[in-house]
Amino acid sequence: IARVLRPGGFAILQVPFFRPVPDRTLSDPSVTDRKTREKLFGQDDHVRRYGKDYSRRIEQAGLRAVEDDFVNSLSAEQRARYGLVEGEIIFKGVKG
């Protein structure tokens, strides 16, 4: 993503967060059993469970991480219309 963004460009980087959110991202692409994946990563088609280090991971990829809680300023109807969850943080990666 960092490679294709122009300077000043940004990407909205949404990933699923499952409660409880771990401190560090858990990742293991060698896990192939669907039931084990669901247990470890929250869904049987995932190989990663993102943690509180997500902003740092965005920055390690060469973007400036911006956490935005604008979802809380929307009405319940707007959140439902756009599939957003109250309290959700939207992550944006900005190319410097």
Side-chain angles (χ1 to χ4, degrees), residues 34-63:
R34 295 175 85 69
K35 289 186 184 214
T36 304
R37 279 186 175 178
E38 187 168 354
K39 181 180 177 184
L40 293 175
F41 309 124
Q43 287 184 218
D44 65 8
D45 59 345
H46 287 200
V47 295
R48 188 171 297 109
R49 183 178 191 138
Y50 285 97
K52 296 174 185 172
D53 63 341
Y54 187 55
S55 287
R56 186 173 49 91
R57 292 173 63 91
I58 292 170
E59 291 178 350
Q60 287 174 334
L63 300 171

Side-chain angles (χ1 to χ4, degrees), residues 4-76:
V4 299
L5 284 175
R6 69 174 188 230
F10 69 91
I12 296 173
L13 304 168
Q14 288 184 279
V15 298
F17 284 99
F18 298 98
R19 305 275 184 237
V21 178
D23 288 334
R24 293 186 58 215
T25 296
L26 308 171
S27 180
D28 188 350
S30 72
V31 176
T32 58
D33 178 70
R34 295 175 85 69
K35 289 186 184 214
T36 304
R37 279 186 175 178
E38 187 168 354
K39 181 180 177 184
L40 293 175
F41 309 124
Q43 287 184 218
D44 65 8
D45 59 345
H46 287 200
V47 295
R48 188 171 297 109
R49 183 178 191 138
Y50 285 97
K52 296 174 185 172
D53 63 341
Y54 187 55
S55 287
R56 186 173 49 91
R57 292 173 63 91
I58 292 170
E59 291 178 350
Q60 287 174 334
L63 300 171
R64 181 172 52 88
V66 177
E67 298 182 30
D68 195 324
D69 68 348
F70 81 92
V71 171
N72 295 325
S73 68
L74 302 175
S75 68

